[in-house]
């Protein structure tokens, strides 16, 4: 065993022979094994080690960690493998059951007959294997085929490891290309740039150059162009102007000249990129996003031009709904209900305190009186839960409403509900529409029957969707979709400094931080360490003891993950303060985190295959989504069980990388959620995150209490910065074209 320093961190190397496989996930190759390191004794090693079998010699590079239940473990990041050498090692390997169909008796025969050539005979010459006593030709071929498959996976894993590429890519690559995977990748290494493999483009490109791919090779150019489009989709862009795409790709690859234009023409000819002049720009789209944007514009244009005959006695019906709900609608709220009665699609927008929820409930009541089967949906689980509570009817995430599925071979997302199998609903109401990107909106519209009504509800001043597009903003600015924008702040809401300050921020007014209100407070802290200490004190004692708000009903936010008062530092401090280690609390170390029973955690990527069961209703389904927050209820046998608002999900060890602590989350991650109390840590924040939209979104997450801990000057900078990063999208233009307005 050796240790060295790499980039300031301790890296270790261990060598030994595999004695036993304790656990293996056949889907992704995650393995827990015992490794005999000779004089140093046996150790437990964990990591992605597809196809590893007892008897193999391994050299592992990684780091040591300590598991709460299983003790010291070695986390392997790089794996070098050596097949058994010599008759003793080969016999041990074959007798271990590593090759299906071979046990001790047959292993002895094989080694006695073929000696050190045994493995070569098994792989390449099953006819000789069939000469053994009791061995039929059919059985020999089956054993040989099994071993060839194992060796194919082994060679692929060795290839990836030798080039310092993630071993987690081995299983999906082998499923896709079988024994030819290494040859296929060597022939075109840019296949590894497939998004589902999660290998950084820089690593793929370095491998390609190492394998002799020329700088202006068409495969390199075309893959880089697609990467730039995909990467900018993550930044919210639906397309890129051609000149910017060419410029960015050239800078990425360090090339220039006609090869870039030629590569783009090839992609356009094959239909992978669509180029179109629109709104004075030569736009280059990934084919999927082009189709999504065009479809959304076409379908909404059709829907907004459809006028429905309002029911007779509509005014009396609305009066009746008011009586049932024991209220009287304001003029704008009544107009929203009236509009829903006569239009197939409409927008309902407004900030906090403007009666958006009351209007939404009125529209739902109207649809109920009209005998319409109505579905409620929101982009996130927490937003759907809040919608259920306010409307008195179950709401679903959009993904769940559309019945998400994933192609097991490509890893691509698809939905069961679509044009061929639409939703059996007469109307759909979607809340938090600002979070819906162009692809999800296209999928939703595709699942609606031709006569289905659609009501889109949202706050246009919140941050836009994480995915590509700025759908709600474009729909509003088009002026094409019938819309009601609620602007009146009701008297009760006017008593809330949270509501009034949120609207003030939108108008460019800096909140008055005199701490005289009942629900909006400021604690000035310039030093990040002191800011973290203050946040911990608020969560641990001050708010629970003085204001009766338990710590589990407080959400800490920060614009940033990094730096001294970002979510990473806050989560470490808050976990230690609110859920410290204890003999009765099991925990599991994984990467930089320790997951402990009682911890608040967040799912940080969509996983459509995770099974959950509701602990009260017994309902079962698949899917946990980016941004879902839950609490760890059990850590046992290496697995972590989490309750997401009653939905119980068990994570095997290899999926713990999809979790992060959630005592503190970024403002972006908090979109669609609402909390009893919010503490915003605003100290040492990168200038790019100091925007009005970030501050407004943070304030509007709080229901009863908002506390800003940090710098008043930074808050003033945020209020003054109303510049919105432009997102390249032509949805507004297309809507105007489809409706004849453009």
């Amino acid at each position: 065993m050796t240790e060295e320093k790499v980039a300031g961190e301790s890296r270790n190397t261990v060598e030994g022979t595999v004695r036993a496989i304790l656990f293996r996930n056949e889907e992704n190759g995650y393995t827990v094994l015992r490794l005999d390191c000779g004089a140093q004794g046996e150790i437990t090693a964990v990591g992605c080690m597809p196809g590893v079998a007892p008897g193999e010699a391994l050299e592992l590079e990684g780091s040591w960690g300590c598991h709460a239940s299983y003790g010291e473990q070695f986390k392997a990041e790089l794996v070098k493998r050596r097949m058994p050498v010599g008759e003793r090692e080969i016999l041990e390997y074959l007798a271990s059951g590593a090759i299906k169909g071979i046990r001790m008796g047959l292993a002895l025969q094989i080694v006695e007959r073929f000696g050190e050539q045994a493995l070569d005979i098994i792989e390449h010459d099953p006819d000789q294997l069939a000469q053994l006593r009791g061995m039929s030709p059919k059985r020999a071929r089956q054993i040989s085929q099994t071993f060839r498959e194992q060796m194919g996976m082994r060679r692929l894993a060795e290839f990836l490891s030798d080039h310092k590429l993630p071993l987690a890519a081995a299983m999906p690559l082998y499923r896709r290309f079988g024994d030819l995977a290494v040859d296929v990748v060597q022939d075109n290494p840019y296949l590894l740039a497939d998004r589902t493999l999660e290998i950084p483009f820089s690593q793929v490109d370095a491998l390609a150059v190492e394998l002799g791919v020329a700088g202006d090779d068409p495969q390199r150019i075309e893959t880089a162009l697609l990467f730039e489009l995909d990467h900018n989709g993550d930044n919210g862009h639906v397309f890129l102007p051609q000149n910017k795409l060419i410029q960015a790709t050239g800078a990425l690859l360090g090339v220039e000249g006609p090869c870039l234009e030629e590569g783009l023409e090839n992609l356009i000819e094959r239909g992978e990129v669509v180029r179109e002049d629109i709104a004075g720009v030569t736009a280059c789209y990934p084919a999927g996003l082009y189709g999504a944007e065009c479809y959304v514009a076409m379908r909404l244009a059709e829907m907004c031009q459809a006028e429905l005959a309002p029911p007779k006695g509509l005014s009396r019906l609305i009066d009746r709904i008011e009586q049932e709900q024991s209220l009287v609608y304001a003029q704008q709220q009544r107009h929203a209900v009236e509009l829903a009665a006569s239009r197939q699609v409409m927008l309902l927008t407004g900030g906090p305190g403007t009666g958006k929820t009351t209007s939404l409930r009125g529209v739902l009541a109207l649809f109920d009186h009209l005998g319409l089967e109505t579905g409620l949906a929101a982009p996130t689980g927490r937003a759907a839960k809040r919608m259920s509570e306010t409307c008195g009817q179950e709401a679903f995430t959009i993904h769940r409403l559309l019945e998400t599925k994933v192609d097991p071979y490509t890893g691509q997302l698809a939905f069961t509900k679509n044009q061929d199998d639409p939703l059996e609903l007469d109307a759909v109401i979607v809340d938090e529409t600002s979070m819906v990107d162009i692809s999800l909106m296209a999928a939703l519209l595709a699942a609606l029957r031709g006569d289905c009504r659609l009501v889109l509800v949202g706050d246009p001043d919140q941050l836009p969707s994480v995915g590509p597009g700025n759908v709600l903003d474009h729909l509003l600015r088009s002026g094409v979709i019938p819309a009601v924008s609620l602007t009146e702040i009701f008297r009760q809401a006017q008593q809330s400094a949270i509501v009034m300050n949120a609207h003030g921020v939108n108008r460019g007014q800096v909140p008055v931080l005199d701490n005289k209100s009942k629900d909006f407070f400021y604690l000035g802290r310039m030093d990040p360490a002191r800011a973290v200490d203050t946040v911990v004190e608020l969560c641990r004692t001050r708010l629970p003891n003085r204001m009766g708000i338990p710590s589990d009903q407080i959400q800490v936010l920060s614009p940033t993950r990094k730096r001294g008062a970002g979510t990473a530092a806050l989560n470490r401090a808050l976990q230690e303060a609110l859920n410290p280690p204890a003999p009765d609390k099991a925990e599991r170390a994984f990467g930089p985190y320790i997951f402990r029973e009682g911890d608040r955690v967040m799912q940080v990527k969509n996983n459509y295959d995770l099974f959950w069961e509701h602990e009260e209703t017994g309902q079962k389904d698949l899917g946990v989504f980016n941004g879902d927050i839950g609490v760890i209820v059990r850590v046992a046998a290496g697995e972590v069980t989490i309750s997401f608002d009653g939905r119980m999900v068990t994570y095997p060890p290899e999926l713990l990388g999809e979790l992060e602590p959630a005592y503190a989350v970024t403002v972006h991650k908090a979109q669609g959620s609402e909390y009893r109390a919010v503490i915003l840590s605003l100290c040492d924040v990168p200038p790019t995150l100091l925007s009005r939209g970030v501050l407004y979104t943070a304030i509007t997450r709080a229901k009863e209490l908002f506390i800003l801990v940090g710098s008043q000057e930074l808050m003033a900078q945020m209020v003054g910065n109303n510049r919105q990063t432009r997102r390249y999208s032509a949805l507004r233009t297309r809507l105007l074209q489809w409706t004849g307005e453009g």
Side-chain angles (χ1 to χ4, degrees), residues 490-545:
F490 289 94
R491 183 177 303 172
Q492 182 177 357
Q494 291 177 7
Q495 308 305 310
S496 167
I498 293 174
V499 171
M500 300 309 292
N501 279 325
H503 286 278
V505 165
N506 261 344
R507 295 190 295 269
Q509 298 171 357
V510 178
V512 177
L513 303 178
D514 58 8
N515 289 345
K516 292 183 179 180
S517 75
K518 296 181 180 179
D519 61 358
F520 197 102
F521 297 93
Y522 167 67
L523 299 175
R525 301 291 186 270
M526 301 302 106
D527 177 64
R530 190 163 175 238
V532 171
D533 289 343
T534 299
V535 170
V536 168
E537 182 185 359
L538 287 166
C539 294
R540 180 171 52 190
T541 56
R542 289 174 64 176
L543 297 188
N545 295 344

Side-chain angles (χ1 to χ4, degrees), residues 624-685:
V624 182
F625 303 106
N626 187 2
D628 285 354
I629 291 180
V631 175
I632 297 176
V633 295
R634 184 172 62 255
V635 177
E639 297 181 332
V640 175
T641 301
I642 299 170
S643 172
F644 292 97
D645 294 321
R647 293 176 298 135
M648 308 300 290
V649 182
T650 296
Y651 286 73
E654 67 274 10
L655 291 184
L656 295 182
E658 298 184 6
L659 296 171
E660 289 183 0
Y663 295 101
V665 301
T666 63
V667 177
H668 284 79
K669 288 288 189 183
Q671 282 183 270
S673 299
E674 196 174 57
Y675 312 97
R676 187 174 173 188
V678 166
I679 301 171
L680 177 63
S681 172
L682 196 59
C683 185
D684 191 24
V685 178

Side-chain angles (χ1 to χ4, degrees), residues 117-348:
Q117 301 301 311
L119 298 180
D120 186 65
I121 295 295
I122 293 172
E123 182 176 6
H124 300 294
D125 198 350
D127 290 340
Q128 284 200 57
L129 195 63
Q131 296 174 12
L132 296 174
R133 184 179 66 258
M135 176 69 69
S136 68
K138 179 179 179 181
R139 184 184 176 197
R141 288 193 298 270
Q142 289 175 336
I143 290 174
S144 181
Q145 175 63 26
T146 298
F147 187 55
R148 282 199 301 273
E149 291 175 358
Q150 291 179 356
M151 292 304 293
M153 169 61 74
R154 173 191 176 83
R155 293 186 185 104
L156 176 59
E158 287 177 342
F159 176 83
L160 295 175
S161 183
D162 288 345
H163 295 283
K164 294 182 169 49
L165 295 169
L167 287 175
M171 296 298 288
L173 281 171
Y174 192 81
R175 283 196 297 268
R176 200 173 304 178
F177 302 115
D179 294 342
L180 298 175
V182 173
D183 295 332
V184 170
V185 170
Q186 286 179 320
D187 183 56
N188 181 9
Y190 288 103
L191 289 169
L192 297 175
D194 186 314
R195 186 184 185 96
T196 61
L197 298 178
E198 299 184 346
I199 303 176
F201 177 82
S202 58
Q203 287 186 257
V204 176
D205 194 45
L207 170 64
V209 172
E210 183 181 336
L211 294 176
V213 175
D216 60 353
D217 185 282
Q219 289 179 337
R220 183 173 191 243
I221 300 296
E222 292 166 20
T223 304
L225 288 163
L226 292 173
F227 167 77
E228 281 294 342
L229 289 173
D230 186 62
H231 172 72
N232 280 279
D234 290 340
N235 293 331
H237 300 298
V238 183
F239 69 82
L240 282 182
Q242 178 170 320
N243 62 330
K244 291 185 179 293
L245 174 59
I246 295 294
Q247 180 182 2
T249 305
L252 175 69
L253 299 180
V255 301
E256 56 185 17
C259 61
L260 295 165
E261 286 79 4
E262 291 169 4
L264 180 58
E265 294 300 330
N266 291 338
L267 291 170
I268 293 169
E269 186 176 338
R270 294 203 303 269
E272 295 181 63
V273 172
V274 178
R275 180 172 58 202
E276 180 178 320
D277 290 330
I278 188 164
V281 176
T282 301
C284 294
Y285 289 82
L289 292 183
Y290 176 79
E293 185 176 89
C294 290
Y295 181 77
V296 169
M298 176 196 72
R299 187 71 197 278
L300 287 178
E302 292 174 347
M303 294 175 73
C304 73
Q305 291 175 334
E307 291 195 25
L308 309 175
K312 293 182 179 180
L314 176 60
S315 181
R316 292 193 301 274
L317 176 56
I318 296 176
D319 292 341
R320 179 180 170 187
I321 293 172
E322 286 180 324
Q323 292 177 354
E324 291 172 351
Q325 297 185 348
S326 301
L327 50 78
V328 176
Y329 294 131
Q331 182 178 352
Q332 291 176 332
Q333 293 175 319
R334 190 177 185 93
H335 178 48
V337 180
E338 292 171 344
L339 193 64
S342 60
R343 305 308 294 257
Q344 188 178 1
V345 61
M346 65 169 286
L347 304 175
L348 175 60

Side-chain angles (χ1 to χ4, degrees), residues 352-369:
T354 58
K356 194 168 50 186
T357 298
T358 298
S359 302
L360 189 158
R361 293 176 60 203
V363 171
L364 178 59
L366 170 74
F367 288 167
D368 287 344
H369 278 284

Side-chain angles (χ1 to χ4, degrees), residues 412-428:
Q412 297 297 311
L413 169 68
F415 296 102
T416 300
K417 295 299 178 182
N418 50 38
Q419 297 99 318
D420 300 323
D421 184 17
L423 294 164
E424 294 296 324
L425 295 172
D426 303 307
V428 172

